[in-house]
Amino acid sequence: FSPITIDSMTSLVGMNIPGHTGTGWCIFVYNLSPDSDESVLWQLFGPFGAVNNVKVIRDFNTNKCKGFGFVTMTNYDEAAMAIASLNGYRLGDRVLQVSFKTNKTHKS
């Protein structure tokens, strides 16, 4: 955690745009298999348009995928098309859940 990130976010207060980051549109991909890696996400999302970044979240001890990852795409329309096409897509024996990344809100 870095307090610097809070300062840089204050300029976005009031702008509630799910999934939008400074570099593009962040897409949350859930239900990946433990052996998934970044190349799988590049291959899945690449045909829809420009992909800035992919990140598979891994377990620190085993280095296996924790079941989810993120893809950042430059163009909103391309990102929306990728989500519409890949949400519910069967990858191996798993059905993917794909959506714009939203900020976590803690239940009180």
XYZ file of all heavy atoms in Angstrom:
836
model
N 0.847 -1.197 0.000
C 0.000 0.000 0.000
C 0.880 1.243 0.000
O 1.833 1.325 0.755
C -0.922 -0.002 1.226
C -1.692 1.283 1.365
C -2.776 1.528 0.559
C -1.324 2.242 2.292
C -3.491 2.697 0.673
C -2.035 3.406 2.409
C -3.117 3.641 1.607
N 0.534 2.168 -0.853
C 1.302 3.399 -0.932
C 0.364 4.597 -0.880
O -0.590 4.664 -1.642
C 2.098 3.431 -2.239
O 2.617 4.724 -2.438
N 0.605 5.527 0.036
C -0.268 6.696 0.115
C -0.208 7.564 -1.141
O -1.110 8.341 -1.406
C 0.249 7.461 1.328
C 1.616 6.926 1.578
C 1.654 5.535 1.022
N 0.837 7.397 -1.944
C 0.964 8.170 -3.182
C -0.193 7.854 -4.125
O -0.713 8.729 -4.801
C 2.319 7.877 -3.857
C 3.448 8.386 -2.956
C 2.398 8.517 -5.236
C 4.815 7.919 -3.363
N -0.632 6.591 -4.138
C -1.715 6.222 -5.052
C -3.012 6.916 -4.666
O -3.814 7.242 -5.521
C -1.941 4.699 -5.071
O -2.208 4.265 -3.731
C -0.738 3.975 -5.623
N -3.235 7.160 -3.398
C -4.437 7.864 -2.966
C -4.411 9.300 -3.488
O -5.390 9.792 -4.021
C -4.570 7.854 -1.424
C -4.825 6.414 -0.950
C -5.694 8.776 -0.966
C -4.817 6.262 0.544
N -3.271 9.965 -3.374
C -3.144 11.335 -3.863
C -3.403 11.431 -5.357
O -4.059 12.350 -5.827
C -1.761 11.900 -3.542
C -1.550 12.102 -2.052
O -2.556 12.205 -1.316
O -0.391 12.150 -1.631
N -2.913 10.470 -6.110
C -3.101 10.531 -7.557
C -4.538 10.214 -7.950
O -4.966 10.539 -9.041
C -2.138 9.575 -8.265
O -2.424 8.242 -7.902
N -5.285 9.582 -7.064
C -6.666 9.228 -7.374
C -7.649 10.350 -7.047
O -8.770 10.329 -7.517
C -7.087 7.962 -6.608
C -6.340 6.715 -7.029
S -6.581 6.296 -8.755
C -8.244 5.658 -8.683
N -7.251 11.318 -6.261
C -8.207 12.345 -5.859
C -8.727 13.130 -7.051
O -9.836 13.636 -7.018
C -7.589 13.320 -4.825
O -6.378 13.846 -5.373
C -7.321 12.630 -3.513
N -7.959 13.200 -8.132
C -8.420 13.918 -9.313
C -9.574 13.177 -10.000
O -10.288 13.745 -10.797
C -7.271 14.111 -10.302
O -6.792 12.855 -10.729
N -9.749 11.904 -9.681
C -10.812 11.122 -10.298
C -12.065 11.052 -9.433
O -13.040 10.429 -9.821
C -10.326 9.695 -10.578
C -9.155 9.572 -11.555
C -8.717 8.125 -11.663
C -9.524 10.115 -12.915
N -12.045 11.706 -8.279
C -13.203 11.672 -7.398
C -14.406 12.254 -8.131
O -14.313 13.297 -8.768
C -12.930 12.455 -6.091
C -14.206 12.637 -5.295
C -11.885 11.733 -5.269
N -15.515 11.553 -8.064
C -16.712 12.016 -8.755
C -16.848 11.396 -10.139
O -17.916 11.420 -10.711
N -15.754 10.855 -10.655
C -15.823 10.176 -11.948
C -15.884 8.674 -11.686
O -14.865 8.035 -11.479
C -14.591 10.497 -12.797
C -14.516 11.923 -13.265
S -13.016 12.239 -14.231
C -13.203 11.074 -15.582
N -17.070 8.136 -11.681
C -17.243 6.716 -11.371
C -17.377 5.943 -12.678
O -18.469 5.647 -13.122
C -18.475 6.515 -10.477
C -18.539 5.094 -9.948
O -17.594 4.326 -10.088
N -19.658 4.748 -9.347
N -16.241 5.657 -13.308
C -16.237 4.930 -14.573
C -15.625 3.558 -14.312
O -14.409 3.439 -14.202
C -15.419 5.680 -15.649
C -15.900 7.117 -15.778
C -15.509 4.946 -16.981
C -15.048 7.974 -16.684
N -16.458 2.524 -14.170
C -15.915 1.197 -13.869
C -14.946 0.736 -14.941
O -15.210 0.865 -16.130
C -17.155 0.300 -13.843
C -18.313 1.220 -13.681
C -17.892 2.526 -14.291
N -13.826 0.199 -14.505
C -12.883 -0.402 -15.420
C -11.930 0.557 -16.098
O -10.975 0.123 -16.709
N -12.164 1.864 -16.006
C -11.292 2.790 -16.731
C -10.072 3.150 -15.895
O -10.189 3.494 -14.741
C -12.038 4.057 -17.136
C -11.239 4.912 -18.065
N -10.566 6.032 -17.657
C -10.974 4.771 -19.389
C -9.930 6.550 -18.694
N -10.158 5.813 -19.752
N -8.915 2.997 -16.507
C -7.670 3.386 -15.855
C -7.009 4.433 -16.746
O -7.489 4.712 -17.840
C -6.725 2.177 -15.704
O -6.306 1.763 -17.013
C -7.391 1.021 -14.981
N -5.908 4.965 -16.302
C -5.203 5.955 -17.094
C -4.714 5.412 -18.428
O -4.553 6.149 -19.384
N -4.500 4.115 -18.521
C -3.951 3.516 -19.737
C -4.985 2.777 -20.564
O -4.653 2.221 -21.595
C -2.813 2.544 -19.385
O -3.317 1.554 -18.474
C -1.641 3.249 -18.748
N -6.234 2.705 -20.115
C -7.239 1.994 -20.889
C -8.350 1.443 -20.014
O -8.625 1.953 -18.941
N -8.954 0.370 -20.497
C -10.112 -0.243 -19.835
C -9.698 -1.576 -19.249
O -9.255 -2.469 -19.966
C -11.245 -0.411 -20.844
C -11.678 0.909 -21.362
C -11.199 1.567 -22.457
C -12.646 1.783 -20.773
N -11.817 2.783 -22.578
C -12.715 2.940 -21.576
C -13.462 1.685 -19.642
C -13.566 3.997 -21.272
C -14.313 2.731 -19.356
C -14.357 3.870 -20.166
N -9.846 -1.704 -17.927
C -9.404 -2.910 -17.230
C -10.543 -3.920 -17.172
O -11.651 -3.612 -16.742
C -8.923 -2.557 -15.825
S -8.108 -3.946 -15.011
N -10.240 -5.122 -17.616
C -11.224 -6.208 -17.677
C -10.811 -7.283 -16.681
O -9.650 -7.700 -16.632
C -11.278 -6.798 -19.102
C -11.669 -5.706 -20.103
C -12.230 -7.983 -19.166
C -11.462 -6.097 -21.550
N -11.781 -7.735 -15.887
C -11.580 -8.777 -14.882
C -11.963 -10.116 -15.509
O -13.051 -10.244 -16.074
C -12.458 -8.460 -13.671
C -12.414 -9.501 -12.590
C -11.270 -9.711 -11.848
C -13.540 -10.255 -12.291
C -11.235 -10.652 -10.832
C -13.515 -11.200 -11.276
C -12.363 -11.400 -10.551
N -11.075 -11.098 -15.438
C -11.327 -12.426 -15.985
C -11.267 -13.425 -14.837
O -10.241 -13.541 -14.169
C -10.284 -12.795 -17.062
C -10.628 -14.128 -17.704
C -10.173 -11.697 -18.112
N -12.377 -14.133 -14.603
C -12.471 -15.042 -13.465
C -12.698 -16.476 -13.932
O -13.268 -16.710 -14.994
C -13.626 -14.604 -12.553
C -13.770 -15.477 -11.336
C -12.834 -15.419 -10.299
C -14.818 -16.379 -11.230
C -12.944 -16.231 -9.183
C -14.938 -17.198 -10.114
C -14.005 -17.122 -9.104
O -14.110 -17.939 -8.007
N -12.261 -17.424 -13.120
C -12.419 -18.861 -13.319
C -11.376 -19.425 -14.272
O -11.648 -20.362 -15.014
C -13.837 -19.227 -13.788
C -14.210 -20.631 -13.349
O -13.621 -21.183 -12.425
N -15.184 -21.229 -14.008
N -10.178 -18.857 -14.230
C -9.055 -19.410 -14.985
C -8.532 -20.653 -14.277
O -8.622 -20.767 -13.059
C -7.929 -18.374 -15.093
C -8.240 -17.115 -15.900
C -7.161 -16.065 -15.668
C -8.375 -17.437 -17.367
N -7.958 -21.563 -15.025
C -7.401 -22.775 -14.418
C -6.058 -22.460 -13.753
O -5.407 -21.471 -14.098
C -7.212 -23.856 -15.487
O -6.200 -23.470 -16.387
N -5.637 -23.295 -12.795
C -4.382 -23.040 -12.070
C -3.156 -22.962 -12.980
O -2.174 -22.322 -12.636
C -4.264 -24.236 -11.121
C -5.664 -24.719 -10.937
C -6.363 -24.448 -12.239
N -3.196 -23.597 -14.148
C -2.026 -23.575 -15.035
C -2.113 -22.471 -16.094
O -1.278 -22.411 -16.999
C -1.826 -24.949 -15.694
C -3.035 -25.396 -16.496
O -4.102 -24.771 -16.373
O -2.901 -26.384 -17.245
N -3.086 -21.577 -15.973
C -3.205 -20.468 -16.923
C -2.034 -19.499 -16.766
O -1.536 -19.290 -15.667
C -4.512 -19.698 -16.694
O -5.622 -20.500 -16.995
N -1.625 -18.914 -17.883
C -0.597 -17.880 -17.834
C -0.991 -16.717 -18.740
O -2.046 -16.744 -19.381
C 0.786 -18.445 -18.178
C 0.864 -18.992 -19.596
O 0.001 -18.664 -20.428
O 1.798 -19.758 -19.876
N -0.129 -15.709 -18.783
C -0.448 -14.493 -19.523
C -0.705 -14.748 -21.001
O -1.548 -14.093 -21.609
C 0.682 -13.461 -19.361
C 0.669 -12.710 -18.043
C 1.186 -13.505 -16.844
O 1.687 -14.635 -17.030
O 1.077 -13.004 -15.719
N -0.013 -15.722 -21.583
C -0.174 -15.975 -23.020
C -1.616 -16.380 -23.362
O -2.108 -16.057 -24.443
C 0.810 -17.047 -23.495
O 0.508 -18.299 -22.932
N -2.283 -17.065 -22.439
C -3.674 -17.463 -22.661
C -4.558 -16.217 -22.811
O -5.395 -16.146 -23.719
C -4.189 -18.347 -21.486
C -5.688 -18.561 -21.574
C -3.455 -19.665 -21.469
N -4.332 -15.228 -21.941
C -5.140 -14.005 -22.005
C -4.819 -13.186 -23.252
O -5.716 -12.631 -23.887
C -4.945 -13.173 -20.738
C -5.454 -13.821 -19.449
C -5.225 -12.903 -18.254
C -6.928 -14.174 -19.560
N -3.541 -13.113 -23.632
C -3.170 -12.420 -24.882
C -3.896 -13.056 -26.060
O -4.440 -12.351 -26.915
C -1.665 -12.479 -25.120
C -0.837 -11.554 -24.295
C 0.000 -11.903 -23.269
C -0.732 -10.125 -24.402
N 0.595 -10.775 -22.743
C 0.182 -9.677 -23.423
C -1.329 -9.185 -25.258
C 0.507 -8.339 -23.257
C -1.005 -7.841 -25.086
C -0.091 -7.430 -24.103
N -3.927 -14.397 -26.116
C -4.554 -15.104 -27.232
C -6.057 -14.905 -27.247
O -6.660 -14.786 -28.312
C -4.210 -16.589 -27.169
C -2.756 -16.891 -27.485
C -2.366 -18.322 -27.172
O -3.207 -19.165 -26.885
N -1.073 -18.597 -27.221
N -6.679 -14.871 -26.063
C -8.128 -14.699 -25.982
C -8.569 -13.292 -26.384
O -9.539 -13.123 -27.121
C -8.623 -14.975 -24.554
C -8.828 -16.424 -24.147
C -9.176 -16.501 -22.667
C -9.935 -17.058 -24.972
N -7.863 -12.283 -25.887
C -8.314 -10.905 -26.061
C -7.718 -10.207 -27.282
O -8.301 -9.256 -27.797
C -8.023 -10.094 -24.788
C -8.956 -10.435 -23.674
C -8.724 -11.521 -22.854
C -10.103 -9.672 -23.445
C -9.598 -11.856 -21.830
C -10.976 -9.993 -22.434
C -10.735 -11.082 -21.620
N -6.574 -10.670 -27.754
C -5.903 -10.050 -28.890
C -6.770 -9.852 -30.129
O -6.746 -8.785 -30.741
N -7.574 -10.860 -30.519
C -8.386 -10.701 -31.730
C -9.420 -9.575 -31.650
O -9.912 -9.120 -32.685
C -9.094 -12.057 -31.846
C -8.207 -13.009 -31.122
C -7.617 -12.218 -29.991
N -9.742 -9.106 -30.453
C -10.769 -8.073 -30.303
C -10.214 -6.656 -30.448
O -10.973 -5.710 -30.644
C -11.487 -8.229 -28.961
C -12.276 -9.502 -28.880
C -11.742 -10.622 -28.266
C -13.538 -9.590 -29.447
C -12.453 -11.813 -28.212
C -14.252 -10.776 -29.401
C -13.705 -11.887 -28.783
N -8.891 -6.497 -30.300
C -8.309 -5.168 -30.439
C -7.014 -5.031 -29.664
O -6.419 -6.022 -29.223
N -6.600 -3.779 -29.484
C -5.313 -3.487 -28.857
C -5.335 -3.823 -27.372
O -6.152 -3.307 -26.620
C -4.961 -2.018 -29.047
N -4.433 -4.709 -26.960
C -4.280 -5.090 -25.562
C -3.024 -4.410 -25.022
O -1.941 -4.581 -25.570
C -4.174 -6.625 -25.408
C -3.908 -7.008 -23.972
C -5.437 -7.298 -25.927
N -3.194 -3.608 -23.961
C -2.053 -2.915 -23.344
C -1.272 -3.813 -22.410
O -0.056 -3.766 -22.361
C -2.543 -1.723 -22.507
C -2.794 -0.501 -23.334
O -2.660 -0.534 -24.545
N -3.152 0.573 -22.684
N -2.016 -4.600 -21.614
C -1.375 -5.321 -20.525
C -2.241 -6.515 -20.123
O -3.463 -6.443 -20.196
C -1.227 -4.358 -19.335
C -0.406 -4.976 -18.218
O 0.568 -5.673 -18.456
N -0.809 -4.723 -16.994
N -1.586 -7.600 -19.715
C -2.305 -8.730 -19.124
C -1.583 -9.119 -17.839
O -0.371 -8.996 -17.732
C -2.399 -9.958 -20.061
C -3.193 -9.644 -21.304
C -1.033 -10.485 -20.425
N -2.355 -9.576 -16.872
C -1.779 -9.964 -15.581
C -2.582 -11.128 -15.023
O -3.783 -11.007 -14.794
C -1.826 -8.768 -14.617
C -1.326 -9.070 -13.218
C 0.181 -9.228 -13.188
C 0.664 -9.416 -11.761
N 2.044 -9.914 -11.739
N -1.914 -12.260 -14.836
C -2.519 -13.405 -14.165
C -2.102 -13.343 -12.703
O -0.920 -13.181 -12.402
C -2.061 -14.737 -14.813
C -2.465 -15.931 -13.966
C -2.615 -14.853 -16.215
N -3.059 -13.425 -11.802
C -2.761 -13.360 -10.368
C -2.359 -14.752 -9.892
O -3.113 -15.709 -10.054
C -3.974 -12.828 -9.574
C -4.458 -11.494 -10.157
C -3.613 -12.702 -8.096
C -3.392 -10.405 -10.243
N -1.168 -14.831 -9.309
C -0.606 -16.123 -8.912
C -0.477 -16.251 -7.398
O -0.290 -15.265 -6.704
C 0.783 -16.307 -9.531
C 0.795 -16.233 -11.029
C 2.206 -16.406 -11.569
N 2.267 -16.147 -12.997
C 1.896 -17.022 -13.922
N 1.454 -18.203 -13.564
N 1.970 -16.707 -15.196
N -0.535 -17.500 -6.944
C -0.268 -17.813 -5.545
C 1.226 -17.630 -5.292
O 2.054 -18.107 -6.069
C -0.687 -19.256 -5.252
C -0.443 -19.628 -3.801
O 0.687 -20.084 -3.492
O -1.356 -19.463 -2.983
N 1.560 -16.928 -4.221
C 2.947 -16.608 -3.916
C 3.795 -17.870 -3.736
O 4.941 -17.932 -4.183
C 3.019 -15.738 -2.658
C 4.409 -15.308 -2.309
C 5.048 -14.305 -3.029
C 5.101 -15.914 -1.266
C 6.342 -13.909 -2.713
C 6.395 -15.528 -0.949
C 7.012 -14.526 -1.668
N 3.246 -18.889 -3.080
C 4.016 -20.097 -2.765
C 4.115 -21.076 -3.925
O 5.167 -21.652 -4.175
C 3.408 -20.804 -1.545
C 3.519 -19.953 -0.289
O 4.547 -19.327 -0.045
N 2.450 -19.902 0.489
N 3.022 -21.286 -4.645
C 3.012 -22.313 -5.690
C 3.241 -21.747 -7.089
O 3.505 -22.508 -8.016
C 1.654 -23.048 -5.693
O 0.633 -22.114 -6.083
C 1.340 -23.634 -4.332
N 3.100 -20.434 -7.244
C 3.200 -19.754 -8.542
C 2.108 -20.209 -9.511
O 2.210 -20.004 -10.718
C 4.586 -19.941 -9.169
C 4.908 -18.804 -10.112
O 4.520 -17.658 -9.894
N 5.626 -19.114 -11.184
N 1.058 -20.854 -8.984
C -0.084 -21.258 -9.809
C -1.085 -20.110 -9.865
O -1.206 -19.326 -8.920
C -0.778 -22.491 -9.212
C 0.071 -23.739 -9.221
C -0.006 -24.404 -10.564
C 0.638 -25.778 -10.541
N 0.748 -26.334 -11.885
N -1.826 -20.045 -10.953
C -2.861 -19.020 -11.101
C -3.918 -19.204 -10.020
O -4.364 -20.316 -9.736
C -3.497 -19.139 -12.484
S -4.892 -18.034 -12.745
N -4.311 -18.090 -9.388
C -5.334 -18.131 -8.333
C -6.748 -18.192 -8.901
O -7.715 -18.176 -8.151
C -5.221 -16.892 -7.439
C -4.077 -16.944 -6.450
C -4.183 -15.770 -5.509
C -3.291 -15.940 -4.309
N -3.491 -14.867 -3.329
N -6.874 -18.226 -10.209
C -8.198 -18.364 -10.819
C -8.702 -17.092 -11.473
O -9.789 -17.065 -12.028
N -7.891 -16.025 -11.422
C -8.345 -14.798 -12.076
C -7.178 -13.967 -12.575
O -6.025 -14.214 -12.226
C -9.240 -13.976 -11.139
C -8.556 -13.440 -9.918
C -8.085 -12.139 -9.870
C -8.391 -14.235 -8.787
C -7.475 -11.643 -8.739
C -7.779 -13.747 -7.653
C -7.318 -12.444 -7.624
N -7.518 -13.017 -13.424
C -6.510 -12.142 -13.986
C -7.157 -10.886 -14.535
O -8.382 -10.721 -14.464
N -6.327 -10.013 -15.086
C -6.802 -8.743 -15.616
C -6.218 -8.500 -16.993
O -5.077 -8.867 -17.258
C -6.392 -7.588 -14.688
C -6.950 -7.722 -13.300
C -6.195 -8.267 -12.283
C -8.247 -7.313 -13.023
C -6.706 -8.405 -11.005
C -8.767 -7.450 -11.750
C -8.006 -7.994 -10.736
N -7.021 -7.882 -17.851
C -6.573 -7.500 -19.186
C -6.915 -6.024 -19.350
O -8.026 -5.603 -19.041
C -7.306 -8.316 -20.275
C -6.915 -7.837 -21.662
C -7.024 -9.799 -20.110
N -5.952 -5.222 -19.804
C -6.220 -3.810 -20.072
C -6.220 -3.593 -21.579
O -5.245 -3.922 -22.256
C -5.158 -2.902 -19.419
O -5.123 -3.189 -18.020
C -5.503 -1.433 -19.618
N -7.344 -3.063 -22.080
C -7.483 -2.780 -23.507
C -7.596 -1.269 -23.717
O -8.146 -0.555 -22.884
C -8.695 -3.501 -24.090
C -8.560 -5.013 -24.035
S -9.891 -5.894 -24.857
C -9.487 -5.597 -26.582
N -7.080 -0.793 -24.838
C -7.025 0.638 -25.136
C -8.398 1.222 -25.442
O -8.753 2.304 -24.980
C -6.109 0.871 -26.355
O -4.864 0.245 -26.099
C -5.894 2.349 -26.602
N -9.193 0.501 -26.221
C -10.433 1.034 -26.772
C -11.651 0.477 -26.053
O -11.769 -0.737 -25.886
C -10.478 0.687 -28.267
C -11.688 1.219 -28.971
O -12.780 0.692 -28.812
N -11.492 2.258 -29.764
N -12.581 1.358 -25.647
C -13.764 0.920 -24.907
C -14.619 -0.051 -25.718
O -15.059 -1.082 -25.213
C -14.616 2.116 -24.476
C -15.939 1.703 -23.880
C -16.019 1.304 -22.543
C -17.086 1.668 -24.656
C -17.222 0.887 -21.996
C -18.301 1.252 -24.113
C -18.367 0.861 -22.790
O -19.558 0.440 -22.263
N -14.884 0.296 -26.978
C -15.755 -0.551 -27.805
C -15.163 -1.939 -27.994
O -15.883 -2.942 -27.960
C -16.005 0.108 -29.165
C -16.862 1.360 -29.047
O -17.729 1.405 -28.147
O -16.664 2.286 -29.848
N -13.845 -2.002 -28.182
C -13.181 -3.298 -28.333
C -13.242 -4.088 -27.036
O -13.480 -5.303 -27.047
C -11.731 -3.095 -28.778
C -11.614 -2.527 -30.177
C -10.216 -2.077 -30.554
O -9.319 -2.049 -29.674
O -10.018 -1.745 -31.722
N -13.056 -3.391 -25.910
C -13.133 -4.051 -24.607
C -14.544 -4.585 -24.367
O -14.718 -5.717 -23.903
C -12.735 -3.078 -23.496
N -15.549 -3.774 -24.680
C -16.942 -4.200 -24.490
C -17.269 -5.400 -25.370
O -17.969 -6.327 -24.941
C -17.887 -3.032 -24.788
N -16.763 -5.410 -26.600
C -16.995 -6.539 -27.507
C -16.312 -7.801 -26.978
O -16.874 -8.893 -27.032
C -16.483 -6.197 -28.917
C -16.712 -7.302 -29.931
S -18.443 -7.740 -30.162
C -19.021 -6.307 -31.043
N -15.097 -7.655 -26.457
C -14.380 -8.799 -25.889
C -15.158 -9.375 -24.709
O -15.314 -10.594 -24.589
C -12.978 -8.384 -25.456
N -15.675 -8.492 -23.850
C -16.444 -8.948 -22.687
C -17.706 -9.670 -23.143
O -18.021 -10.764 -22.675
C -16.793 -7.760 -21.762
C -15.529 -7.251 -21.068
C -17.852 -8.161 -20.736
C -15.702 -5.937 -20.353
N -18.436 -9.059 -24.090
C -19.680 -9.669 -24.578
C -19.415 -11.038 -25.207
O -20.218 -11.961 -25.065
C -20.348 -8.738 -25.593
N -18.282 -11.174 -25.876
C -17.971 -12.426 -26.569
C -17.387 -13.491 -25.651
O -17.641 -14.683 -25.846
C -16.974 -12.157 -27.704
O -17.512 -11.234 -28.618
N -16.589 -13.073 -24.660
C -15.852 -14.041 -23.842
C -16.515 -14.369 -22.511
O -16.153 -15.360 -21.876
C -14.423 -13.544 -23.604
C -13.551 -13.462 -24.867
C -12.215 -12.814 -24.557
C -13.361 -14.843 -25.480
N -17.470 -13.552 -22.053
C -18.177 -13.882 -20.814
C -19.037 -15.117 -21.084
O -19.871 -15.124 -21.978
C -19.050 -12.714 -20.349
C -19.635 -12.972 -18.972
O -18.986 -13.544 -18.108
N -20.874 -12.573 -18.784
N -18.776 -16.194 -20.339
C -19.475 -17.455 -20.564
C -18.730 -18.393 -21.507
O -19.176 -19.498 -21.770
N -17.579 -17.945 -22.016
C -16.758 -18.750 -22.925
C -16.157 -19.924 -22.164
O -15.679 -19.762 -21.041
C -15.658 -17.864 -23.517
C -14.693 -18.576 -24.428
C -15.019 -18.812 -25.765
C -13.448 -18.989 -23.969
C -14.128 -19.453 -26.614
C -12.551 -19.627 -24.810
C -12.902 -19.861 -26.134
O -12.013 -20.499 -26.957
N -16.205 -21.103 -22.781
C -15.632 -22.293 -22.144
C -14.163 -22.417 -22.538
O -13.830 -22.541 -23.709
C -16.402 -23.543 -22.553
C -15.875 -24.814 -21.911
C -16.731 -26.015 -22.224
N -18.012 -25.940 -21.529
C -18.206 -26.299 -20.255
N -17.187 -26.727 -19.536
N -19.386 -26.225 -19.709
N -13.291 -22.350 -21.528
C -11.851 -22.518 -21.730
C -11.452 -23.795 -21.014
O -11.430 -23.847 -19.782
C -11.087 -21.311 -21.176
C -9.576 -21.316 -21.369
C -9.219 -21.256 -22.849
C -8.946 -20.146 -20.643
N -11.188 -24.837 -21.784
C -10.940 -26.143 -21.171
C -12.227 -26.624 -20.516
O -13.274 -26.661 -21.148
N -12.159 -26.943 -19.222
C -13.344 -27.426 -18.506
C -13.973 -26.331 -17.643
O -14.767 -26.615 -16.759
C -13.003 -28.646 -17.657
C -11.929 -28.357 -16.621
O -11.324 -27.268 -16.682
O -11.704 -29.220 -15.753
N -13.608 -25.070 -17.897
C -14.104 -23.966 -17.077
C -14.845 -22.953 -17.937
O -14.474 -22.702 -19.075
C -12.938 -23.262 -16.374
C -12.267 -24.145 -15.336
C -10.930 -23.588 -14.917
N -10.356 -24.403 -13.859
C -10.379 -24.058 -12.581
N -10.918 -22.936 -12.192
N -9.841 -24.848 -11.679
N -15.873 -22.340 -17.342
C -16.615 -21.283 -18.018
C -16.149 -19.947 -17.444
O -16.237 -19.710 -16.236
C -18.142 -21.460 -17.822
C -18.896 -20.304 -18.456
C -18.598 -22.795 -18.416
N -15.629 -19.098 -18.298
C -15.057 -17.828 -17.846
C -16.144 -16.811 -17.488
O -17.208 -16.782 -18.098
C -14.174 -17.229 -18.941
C -12.955 -18.036 -19.360
C -12.174 -17.277 -20.426
C -12.073 -18.361 -18.174
N -15.841 -16.006 -16.489
C -16.660 -14.839 -16.154
C -15.806 -13.621 -16.478
O -14.722 -13.447 -15.923
C -17.049 -14.844 -14.681
C -17.981 -15.986 -14.301
C -18.257 -16.009 -12.807
O -18.225 -14.977 -12.148
N -18.510 -17.187 -12.289
N -16.297 -12.781 -17.392
C -15.526 -11.642 -17.882
C -16.365 -10.376 -17.733
O -17.517 -10.339 -18.151
C -15.139 -11.846 -19.369
C -14.259 -10.706 -19.864
C -14.437 -13.186 -19.572
N -15.792 -9.354 -17.109
C -16.523 -8.090 -16.917
C -15.532 -6.951 -16.737
O -14.346 -7.184 -16.507
C -17.425 -8.177 -15.688
O -16.644 -8.375 -14.523
N -16.028 -5.712 -16.837
C -15.162 -4.588 -16.496
C -14.818 -4.692 -15.026
O -15.656 -5.060 -14.196
C -15.863 -3.246 -16.769
C -15.834 -2.846 -18.207
C -17.003 -2.748 -18.933
C -14.634 -2.552 -18.839
C -16.976 -2.371 -20.269
C -14.600 -2.182 -20.181
C -15.781 -2.090 -20.898
N -13.579 -4.377 -14.681
C -13.157 -4.371 -13.285
C -13.894 -3.253 -12.571
O -14.011 -2.151 -13.074
C -11.647 -4.130 -13.207
C -11.107 -4.052 -11.798
C -9.610 -3.759 -11.840
C -9.048 -3.595 -10.438
N -9.477 -2.332 -9.807
N -14.402 -3.564 -11.394
C -15.065 -2.547 -10.577
C -14.286 -2.370 -9.286
O -13.575 -3.282 -8.860
C -16.516 -2.943 -10.237
O -16.480 -4.226 -9.578
C -17.360 -3.059 -11.495
N -14.410 -1.221 -8.677
C -13.759 -1.006 -7.384
C -14.494 -1.828 -6.343
O -15.719 -1.861 -6.319
C -13.806 0.476 -7.012
C -12.956 1.302 -7.949
O -11.939 0.836 -8.451
N -13.392 2.515 -8.219
N -13.730 -2.496 -5.485
C -14.347 -3.296 -4.432
C -15.054 -2.387 -3.439
O -14.506 -1.388 -2.998
C -13.292 -4.113 -3.681
C -12.810 -5.308 -4.472
C -11.904 -6.164 -3.597
C -11.442 -7.385 -4.374
N -10.511 -8.195 -3.609
N -16.257 -2.757 -3.102
C -16.961 -2.051 -2.043
C -17.194 -3.037 -0.925
O -17.701 -4.137 -1.159
C -18.314 -1.489 -2.527
O -19.055 -2.557 -3.124
C -18.115 -0.389 -3.566
N -16.773 -2.676 0.257
C -16.885 -3.581 1.397
C -18.283 -3.484 1.996
O -18.801 -2.397 2.217
C -15.833 -3.239 2.458
C -14.434 -3.410 1.948
N -13.853 -4.650 1.790
C -13.497 -2.520 1.540
C -12.635 -4.509 1.320
N -12.397 -3.224 1.152
N -18.868 -4.661 2.240
C -20.184 -4.677 2.873
C -20.028 -4.322 4.355
O -19.143 -4.834 5.021
C -20.820 -6.072 2.737
C -21.124 -6.417 1.304
C -21.789 -7.803 1.234
C -22.235 -8.115 -0.163
N -21.141 -8.411 -1.072
N -20.907 -3.459 4.838
C -20.798 -3.055 6.243
C -21.596 -3.980 7.132
O -22.475 -4.666 6.712
C -21.282 -1.623 6.429
O -22.520 -1.466 5.803
